[in-house]
Amino acid sequence: MPFRLLSPLVAEGGLVVTCPHSGRFYPKDLLDAACLDRLALRRSEDAFVDELFLDAPLAGAYWLTTDYARAFVDLNRDCEELDPALVIDLPPEKSGFSSPRVEAGLGVIPRTVGDGIAIYAKSLTYQEIQARLCQVYVPWYDALDELLARIMAQVGHFLLLDCHSMPSAASGIPRYDIVLGDRYGVSCDPIFIEEADRFLSDLGFKVARNYPFAGGYSIHRYGHPTLMRHALQIEINRSLYMVEGALIKKSVFSDLRRMFGEFVGHLSAFSRLLIP
């Protein structure tokens, strides 16, 4: 499915939890075109993050995820981030969007996984790219736009919590367990990142802000605090909950799921207190 949405029984806080990179479905046309096996392709997944936050509806938040793999379509990118090195017949008017992500092969249709490892042995066509976007990207953002508009009408504000995971090597020295990103104070009222940092730190996590991840496209798209539209990104160190190379959950997974459920519940209640 392009997306799965679970709703809370009571949604008074306007909190939406999204997990755009946890999909584990690899369509046949991707596997046929790829020169990597499934395990190698999965290196780009935020593996099991959707399950870490699966209790979000019980905690008063909406929960939105996708089954489709990030290697097929990256839902945390602008749809114009098309890679000229991947698309053989990219129209000239579509080739002007350049960014460090695209240059690294990490556009809306990724060309690489992991540390720059090529996914494909040959280029894709623009028609293939557009088919993927229509199949996955457009339904995802149509659903999210509609949900957030409905929450704005009902509650008067929303808080989008965009959930990801990071390789342990990316967490810096000293190692951080969690990185919160608000685009350096641009995407949400500072009170949200302050409270998220405080609560997670009290749970025992080592928390950083905006480095090395300050927030991706979803945070940029939806975070407009002057309009009462708040967006916060969370990156979780994968070594906390899984064996990274083997993509196997650790025994502490259920404990961490409970803790992140508590975190979502706290954010939902905190957000509810701020309703005008």
Side-chain angles (χ1 to χ4, degrees):
M1 293 177 61
F3 63 89
R4 286 184 288 138
L5 174 64
L6 297 179
S7 302
L9 291 177
V10 179
E12 297 176 347
L15 179 58
V16 177
V17 172
T18 53
C19 306
H21 287 166
S22 298
R24 295 176 279 280
F25 172 57
Y26 289 80
K28 184 176 184 300
D29 54 338
L30 168 61
L31 296 175
D32 288 345
C35 56
L36 302 176
D37 61 26
R38 187 186 296 264
L39 182 60
L41 288 171
R42 292 193 66 190
R43 293 181 64 184
S44 66
E45 279 182 25
D46 288 344
F48 311 123
V49 168
D50 53 343
E51 295 183 34
L52 281 176
F53 287 90
L54 191 55
D55 293 332
L58 298 176
Y62 292 90
W63 175 88
L64 180 68
T65 192
T66 180
D67 291 326
Y68 279 86
R70 179 186 186 181
F72 188 68
V73 176
D74 191 330
L75 293 171
N76 199 27
R77 296 287 183 266
D78 191 309
C79 64
E80 297 297 322
E81 291 188 81
L82 301 172
D83 190 343
L86 175 64
V87 189
I88 192 171
D89 56 348
L90 187 65
E93 66 272 16
K94 294 291 185 179
S95 60
F97 194 122
S98 181
S99 72
R101 293 185 297 265
V102 172
E103 293 171 4
L106 299 173
V108 66
I109 307 297
R111 173 170 49 86
T112 64
V113 297
D115 299 321
I117 301 172
I119 296 175
Y120 305 98
K122 62 178 183 178
S123 300
L124 302 180
T125 67
Y126 184 64
Q127 183 177 4
E128 289 174 309
I129 297 297
Q130 289 302 302
R132 292 192 190 186
L133 295 179
C134 290
Q135 185 178 0
V136 182
Y137 190 98
V138 172
W140 170 272
Y141 278 105
D142 283 350
L144 188 50
D145 287 347
E146 180 182 351
L147 175 61
L148 294 177
R150 176 156 44 93
I151 292 172
M152 284 296 297
Q154 295 172 347
V155 179
H157 75 222
F158 65 71
L159 172 60
L160 175 70
L161 181 66
D162 200 41
C163 304
H164 300 268
S165 67
M166 58 184 175
S168 56
S171 65
I173 303 296
R175 193 194 77 172
Y176 290 101
D177 299 318
I178 289 172
V179 177
L180 298 172
D182 64 355
R183 302 188 67 241
Y184 300 98
V186 172
S187 68
C188 68
D189 189 295
I191 197 170
F192 286 111
I193 196 168
E194 291 282 352
E195 188 62 20
D197 188 338
R198 184 200 65 77
F199 189 86
L200 291 168
S201 296
D202 286 349
L203 287 176
F205 295 110
K206 185 162 187 158
V207 182
R209 300 189 196 178
N210 289 309
Y211 183 81
F213 304 103
Y217 172 71
S218 294
I219 299 302
H220 170 75
R221 174 170 174 148
Y222 292 112
H224 302 283
T226 58
L227 301 176
M228 303 298 288
R229 301 171 182 176
H230 306 278
L232 179 66
Q233 180 173 290
I234 180 170
E235 297 270 357
I236 302 167
N237 192 318
R238 292 173 189 164
S239 67
L240 287 177
Y241 66 89
M242 74 175 188
V243 180
E244 291 183 77
L247 295 176
I248 297 173
K249 297 175 189 174
K250 291 183 176 178
S251 59
V252 298
F253 189 91
S254 59
D255 293 329
L256 288 167
R257 173 176 166 174
R258 174 185 52 78
M259 295 169 79
F260 286 116
E262 293 174 359
F263 171 59
V264 170
H266 180 76
L267 274 188
S268 180
F270 185 76
S271 179
R272 186 166 63 248
L273 293 175
L274 300 178
I275 297 174

Short mmCIF file of all heavy atoms in Angstrom, two decimals, residues 75-112:
data_model
loop_
_atom_site.label_atom_id
_atom_site.label_comp_id
_atom_site.label_asym_id
_atom_site.label_seq_id
_atom_site.Cartn_x
_atom_site.Cartn_y
_atom_site.Cartn_z
N LEU A 75 10.28 9.27 0.38
CA LEU A 75 9.18 10.17 0.69
C LEU A 75 9.62 11.39 1.49
O LEU A 75 8.79 12.26 1.78
CB LEU A 75 8.09 9.41 1.45
CG LEU A 75 7.37 8.34 0.65
CD1 LEU A 75 6.46 7.51 1.55
CD2 LEU A 75 6.57 8.96 -0.49
N ASN A 76 10.88 11.48 1.82
CA ASN A 76 11.38 12.66 2.53
C ASN A 76 12.23 13.52 1.60
O ASN A 76 13.25 14.08 1.99
CB ASN A 76 12.19 12.25 3.76
CG ASN A 76 12.34 13.38 4.76
OD1 ASN A 76 11.50 14.28 4.84
ND2 ASN A 76 13.42 13.36 5.52
N ARG A 77 11.77 13.63 0.36
CA ARG A 77 12.42 14.44 -0.66
C ARG A 77 11.37 15.24 -1.42
O ARG A 77 10.21 14.83 -1.51
CB ARG A 77 13.18 13.56 -1.67
CG ARG A 77 14.33 12.77 -1.08
CD ARG A 77 15.51 13.65 -0.76
NE ARG A 77 16.64 12.86 -0.26
CZ ARG A 77 16.90 12.62 1.01
NH1 ARG A 77 16.08 13.11 1.95
NH2 ARG A 77 17.94 11.92 1.37
N ASP A 78 11.80 16.36 -1.98
CA ASP A 78 10.96 17.10 -2.91
C ASP A 78 10.80 16.25 -4.17
O ASP A 78 11.75 15.61 -4.62
CB ASP A 78 11.64 18.43 -3.25
CG ASP A 78 10.74 19.39 -3.99
OD1 ASP A 78 10.15 18.98 -5.02
OD2 ASP A 78 10.63 20.55 -3.59
N CYS A 79 9.61 16.25 -4.75
CA CYS A 79 9.39 15.44 -5.95
C CYS A 79 10.20 15.94 -7.15
O CYS A 79 10.33 15.23 -8.15
CB CYS A 79 7.90 15.40 -6.31
SG CYS A 79 7.19 17.00 -6.74
N GLU A 80 10.76 17.14 -7.04
CA GLU A 80 11.60 17.68 -8.12
C GLU A 80 13.06 17.28 -7.96
O GLU A 80 13.88 17.61 -8.83
CB GLU A 80 11.48 19.20 -8.16
CG GLU A 80 10.07 19.72 -8.47
CD GLU A 80 9.59 19.30 -9.85
OE1 GLU A 80 10.42 19.28 -10.79
OE2 GLU A 80 8.39 18.96 -9.98
N GLU A 81 13.41 16.59 -6.89
CA GLU A 81 14.81 16.18 -6.70
C GLU A 81 15.10 14.94 -7.54
O GLU A 81 15.26 13.83 -7.03
CB GLU A 81 15.09 15.93 -5.21
CG GLU A 81 15.08 17.21 -4.38
CD GLU A 81 15.54 17.00 -2.96
OE1 GLU A 81 16.77 16.95 -2.73
OE2 GLU A 81 14.66 16.88 -2.07
N LEU A 82 15.15 15.16 -8.84
CA LEU A 82 15.38 14.09 -9.82
C LEU A 82 16.85 14.09 -10.21
O LEU A 82 17.46 15.14 -10.41
CB LEU A 82 14.49 14.30 -11.04
CG LEU A 82 12.98 14.31 -10.76
CD1 LEU A 82 12.20 14.72 -12.00
CD2 LEU A 82 12.52 12.95 -10.26
N ASP A 83 17.39 12.91 -10.36
CA ASP A 83 18.83 12.73 -10.54
C ASP A 83 19.18 12.54 -12.02
O ASP A 83 18.86 11.51 -12.61
CB ASP A 83 19.27 11.49 -9.74
CG ASP A 83 20.77 11.34 -9.65
OD1 ASP A 83 21.48 11.98 -10.44
OD2 ASP A 83 21.23 10.58 -8.78
N PRO A 84 19.85 13.52 -12.65
CA PRO A 84 20.22 13.37 -14.05
C PRO A 84 21.14 12.19 -14.32
O PRO A 84 21.17 11.65 -15.43
CB PRO A 84 20.93 14.70 -14.37
CG PRO A 84 20.50 15.65 -13.32
CD PRO A 84 20.26 14.82 -12.09
N ALA A 85 21.89 11.77 -13.30
CA ALA A 85 22.78 10.63 -13.48
C ALA A 85 22.04 9.30 -13.48
O ALA A 85 22.60 8.27 -13.85
CB ALA A 85 23.84 10.62 -12.37
N LEU A 86 20.76 9.32 -13.08
CA LEU A 86 19.96 8.10 -13.04
C LEU A 86 18.94 8.04 -14.17
O LEU A 86 18.71 6.97 -14.74
CB LEU A 86 19.23 8.00 -11.70
CG LEU A 86 18.25 6.83 -11.53
CD1 LEU A 86 19.00 5.50 -11.59
CD2 LEU A 86 17.48 6.95 -10.22
N VAL A 87 18.34 9.17 -14.51
CA VAL A 87 17.24 9.21 -15.47
C VAL A 87 17.78 9.52 -16.86
O VAL A 87 18.27 10.62 -17.12
CB VAL A 87 16.19 10.25 -15.06
CG1 VAL A 87 14.95 10.11 -15.94
CG2 VAL A 87 15.82 10.10 -13.59
N ILE A 88 17.69 8.55 -17.74
CA ILE A 88 18.36 8.66 -19.04
C ILE A 88 17.75 9.73 -19.93
O ILE A 88 18.44 10.36 -20.73
CB ILE A 88 18.34 7.28 -19.76
CG1 ILE A 88 19.27 7.29 -20.96
CG2 ILE A 88 16.91 6.88 -20.14
CD1 ILE A 88 19.47 5.92 -21.58
N ASP A 89 16.45 9.97 -19.81
CA ASP A 89 15.77 10.92 -20.69
C ASP A 89 15.08 12.02 -19.89
O ASP A 89 13.98 12.45 -20.23
CB ASP A 89 14.76 10.20 -21.58
CG ASP A 89 13.74 9.39 -20.78
OD1 ASP A 89 13.95 9.19 -19.57
OD2 ASP A 89 12.74 8.94 -21.38
N LEU A 90 15.74 12.48 -18.83
CA LEU A 90 15.17 13.53 -18.00
C LEU A 90 14.96 14.79 -18.83
O LEU A 90 15.90 15.30 -19.44
CB LEU A 90 16.10 13.83 -16.83
CG LEU A 90 15.58 14.78 -15.76
CD1 LEU A 90 14.39 14.18 -15.03
CD2 LEU A 90 16.69 15.12 -14.77
N PRO A 91 13.72 15.31 -18.88
CA PRO A 91 13.46 16.53 -19.66
C PRO A 91 14.33 17.69 -19.17
O PRO A 91 14.59 17.81 -17.97
CB PRO A 91 11.98 16.80 -19.42
CG PRO A 91 11.40 15.48 -19.02
CD PRO A 91 12.49 14.78 -18.27
N PRO A 92 14.77 18.55 -20.07
CA PRO A 92 15.64 19.67 -19.67
C PRO A 92 15.04 20.53 -18.57
O PRO A 92 15.74 20.99 -17.68
CB PRO A 92 15.80 20.46 -20.97
CG PRO A 92 15.58 19.46 -22.06
CD PRO A 92 14.56 18.49 -21.53
N GLU A 93 13.72 20.73 -18.62
CA GLU A 93 13.08 21.58 -17.62
C GLU A 93 13.05 20.93 -16.24
O GLU A 93 12.73 21.58 -15.24
CB GLU A 93 11.65 21.94 -18.04
CG GLU A 93 10.67 20.80 -18.10
CD GLU A 93 10.65 20.07 -19.44
OE1 GLU A 93 11.61 20.26 -20.24
OE2 GLU A 93 9.68 19.33 -19.70
N LYS A 94 13.38 19.62 -16.16
CA LYS A 94 13.38 18.91 -14.89
C LYS A 94 14.79 18.68 -14.35
O LYS A 94 14.96 18.05 -13.32
CB LYS A 94 12.68 17.55 -15.05
CG LYS A 94 11.19 17.63 -15.36
CD LYS A 94 10.41 18.15 -14.17
CE LYS A 94 8.92 18.12 -14.42
NZ LYS A 94 8.16 18.62 -13.24
N SER A 95 15.78 19.18 -15.04
CA SER A 95 17.16 18.87 -14.67
C SER A 95 17.85 19.99 -13.90
O SER A 95 19.03 19.91 -13.63
CB SER A 95 17.98 18.55 -15.92
OG SER A 95 17.99 19.66 -16.81
N GLY A 96 17.09 21.03 -13.54
CA GLY A 96 17.71 22.18 -12.90
C GLY A 96 17.73 22.14 -11.39
O GLY A 96 18.28 23.03 -10.75
N PHE A 97 17.10 21.12 -10.79
CA PHE A 97 17.04 21.03 -9.32
C PHE A 97 18.27 20.28 -8.83
O PHE A 97 18.33 19.07 -8.86
CB PHE A 97 15.76 20.32 -8.88
CG PHE A 97 15.45 20.48 -7.42
CD1 PHE A 97 14.24 21.03 -7.01
CD2 PHE A 97 16.33 20.09 -6.43
CE1 PHE A 97 13.93 21.19 -5.66
CE2 PHE A 97 16.05 20.24 -5.08
CZ PHE A 97 14.84 20.80 -4.70
N SER A 98 19.25 21.03 -8.37
CA SER A 98 20.47 20.41 -7.87
C SER A 98 20.56 20.60 -6.35
O SER A 98 20.18 21.64 -5.83
CB SER A 98 21.70 21.04 -8.53
OG SER A 98 22.89 20.44 -8.06
N SER A 99 21.01 19.57 -5.67
CA SER A 99 21.20 19.65 -4.23
C SER A 99 22.27 18.64 -3.86
O SER A 99 22.56 17.70 -4.61
CB SER A 99 19.89 19.32 -3.50
OG SER A 99 19.58 17.94 -3.60
N PRO A 100 22.90 18.80 -2.69
CA PRO A 100 23.89 17.80 -2.26
C PRO A 100 23.31 16.40 -2.19
O PRO A 100 24.02 15.42 -2.46
CB PRO A 100 24.30 18.32 -0.87
CG PRO A 100 24.03 19.78 -0.91
CD PRO A 100 22.81 19.95 -1.76
N ARG A 101 22.01 16.28 -1.85
CA ARG A 101 21.39 14.96 -1.79
C ARG A 101 21.33 14.32 -3.17
O ARG A 101 21.66 13.14 -3.35
CB ARG A 101 19.99 15.07 -1.18
CG ARG A 101 19.97 15.47 0.28
CD ARG A 101 18.56 15.44 0.83
NE ARG A 101 17.69 16.39 0.16
CZ ARG A 101 17.45 17.62 0.59
NH1 ARG A 101 18.03 18.06 1.67
NH2 ARG A 101 16.62 18.41 -0.07
N VAL A 102 20.89 15.09 -4.16
CA VAL A 102 20.82 14.56 -5.52
C VAL A 102 22.20 14.18 -6.03
O VAL A 102 22.39 13.12 -6.63
CB VAL A 102 20.15 15.58 -6.46
CG1 VAL A 102 20.23 15.11 -7.91
CG2 VAL A 102 18.69 15.80 -6.07
N GLU A 103 23.18 15.04 -5.79
CA GLU A 103 24.54 14.77 -6.25
C GLU A 103 25.11 13.52 -5.61
O GLU A 103 25.96 12.83 -6.20
CB GLU A 103 25.42 15.99 -5.96
CG GLU A 103 25.04 17.20 -6.80
CD GLU A 103 25.76 18.46 -6.36
OE1 GLU A 103 26.63 18.36 -5.45
OE2 GLU A 103 25.46 19.53 -6.91
N ALA A 104 24.65 13.20 -4.39
CA ALA A 104 25.11 11.98 -3.70
C ALA A 104 24.32 10.75 -4.12
O ALA A 104 24.58 9.65 -3.61
CB ALA A 104 25.01 12.18 -2.20
N GLY A 105 23.36 10.93 -5.03
CA GLY A 105 22.55 9.80 -5.47
C GLY A 105 21.35 9.54 -4.59
O GLY A 105 20.75 8.46 -4.66
N LEU A 106 20.97 10.53 -3.77
CA LEU A 106 19.89 10.35 -2.80
C LEU A 106 18.72 11.28 -3.10
O LEU A 106 18.19 11.95 -2.22
CB LEU A 106 20.42 10.59 -1.38
CG LEU A 106 21.54 9.65 -0.94
CD1 LEU A 106 22.10 10.08 0.40
CD2 LEU A 106 21.05 8.21 -0.88
N GLY A 107 18.31 11.29 -4.36
CA GLY A 107 17.15 12.07 -4.76
C GLY A 107 15.86 11.35 -4.41
O GLY A 107 15.86 10.37 -3.67
N VAL A 108 14.76 11.83 -4.96
CA VAL A 108 13.46 11.24 -4.65
C VAL A 108 13.38 9.79 -5.13
O VAL A 108 12.68 8.96 -4.54
CB VAL A 108 12.32 12.11 -5.22
CG1 VAL A 108 12.34 12.12 -6.75
CG2 VAL A 108 10.95 11.65 -4.70
N ILE A 109 14.07 9.47 -6.20
CA ILE A 109 14.30 8.07 -6.61
C ILE A 109 15.79 7.82 -6.41
O ILE A 109 16.62 8.25 -7.22
CB ILE A 109 13.90 7.82 -8.08
CG1 ILE A 109 12.47 8.28 -8.34
CG2 ILE A 109 14.07 6.33 -8.41
CD1 ILE A 109 11.40 7.55 -7.55
N PRO A 110 16.19 7.15 -5.34
CA PRO A 110 17.61 7.02 -5.03
C PRO A 110 18.39 6.25 -6.09
O PRO A 110 17.89 5.27 -6.67
CB PRO A 110 17.61 6.27 -3.69
CG PRO A 110 16.26 6.53 -3.11
CD PRO A 110 15.33 6.59 -4.28
N ARG A 111 19.60 6.70 -6.30
CA ARG A 111 20.54 6.01 -7.19
C ARG A 111 21.53 5.17 -6.39
O ARG A 111 22.13 4.22 -6.92
CB ARG A 111 21.28 7.05 -8.04
CG ARG A 111 22.42 6.53 -8.89
CD ARG A 111 22.92 7.58 -9.88
NE ARG A 111 23.18 8.86 -9.25
CZ ARG A 111 24.31 9.23 -8.65
NH1 ARG A 111 25.33 8.36 -8.59
NH2 ARG A 111 24.46 10.42 -8.13
N THR A 112 21.68 5.48 -5.10
CA THR A 112 22.65 4.78 -4.26
C THR A 112 22.03 4.41 -2.92
O THR A 112 21.00 4.94 -2.51
CB THR A 112 23.89 5.67 -3.99
OG1 THR A 112 23.49 6.82 -3.24
CG2 THR A 112 24.55 6.09 -5.29
#
